[in-house]
Amino acid sequence: MSHFTAPAVRHLPVGAWRLHPGHAMSLRPKQPAVLRVYCGRVWATLGQGAEVGAPDDGGDRFLGPGEVLIVPAGASLVMEPVVVPGDRGPVHFDWSDASAAVAPSRFDREVAAPARELRSSLGHAAVALTRMVFGLLGYGEFLVAGRGRVLSPLESLRS
């Protein structure tokens, strides 16, 4: 197995799951899920229960570092490491909900995200402006005295 590590796209530990050579794993998600390989190679068989939409949706696949397999709800996935002579390291992979892996739409990327950023920026600007106005109003008492502070009634009689 090649121990090249694909770049992490989440804040969780990369390759939180491990599968050692000579072992196999069977998974059957209740919701669509994503298998993402980070280190090593696996032989994955997507079997019964998968809603076949295309001729390529079922059967065997070999996945390497950085590759992703979307597993439909109810499908059975059996996988085992592809063993390379001399390498006994485990395969590192993540298994997550497919909704987290869905790429944002063009509208979300180009309109909604900048609108959220603008709303946040305007909110920060409004808070800063309010603080500045209250700060200037607080200096008003110093400006009236002319010496940097407001004179009390007794102090003003002494001059």
Side-chain angles (χ1 to χ4, degrees):
M1 279 177 273
S2 165
H3 277 80
F4 163 78
T5 304
V9 293
R10 300 182 319 171
H11 63 280
L12 298 175
V14 173
W17 291 61
R18 290 177 177 80
L19 185 59
H20 292 273
H23 294 87
M25 182 179 284
S26 178
L27 301 166
R28 185 181 297 263
K30 294 181 181 177
Q31 304 174 32
V34 174
L35 170 69
R36 183 180 313 271
V37 177
Y38 289 101
C39 176
R41 290 185 52 81
V42 294
W43 172 17
T45 302
L46 195 56
Q48 298 292 342
E51 297 178 13
V52 178
D56 191 27
D57 282 351
D60 295 336
R61 295 200 174 95
F62 291 92
L63 303 172
E67 293 185 315
V68 173
L69 175 64
I70 297 178
V71 182
S76 105
L77 174 71
V78 178
M79 62 181 180
E80 64 180 275
V82 174
V83 180
V84 176
D87 190 0
R88 294 288 172 210
V91 172
H92 297 262
F93 67 95
D94 277 335
W95 177 257
S96 61
D97 184 17
S99 63
V102 175
S105 69
R106 181 177 175 195
F107 181 82
D108 287 338
R109 281 190 321 267
E110 296 178 4
V111 177
R116 284 190 300 271
E117 292 169 5
L118 179 62
R119 182 176 46 234
S120 175
S121 298
L122 290 175
H124 288 295
V127 168
L129 179 64
T130 304
R131 290 179 58 199
M132 186 181 73
V133 167
F134 281 119
L136 287 173
L137 291 175
Y139 277 106
E141 63 188 30
F142 292 106
L143 297 175
V144 171
R147 290 196 246 166
R149 65 182 184 89
V150 176
L151 299 176
S152 68
L154 293 175
E155 288 177 325
S156 62
L157 293 176
R158 285 193 243 176
S159 356

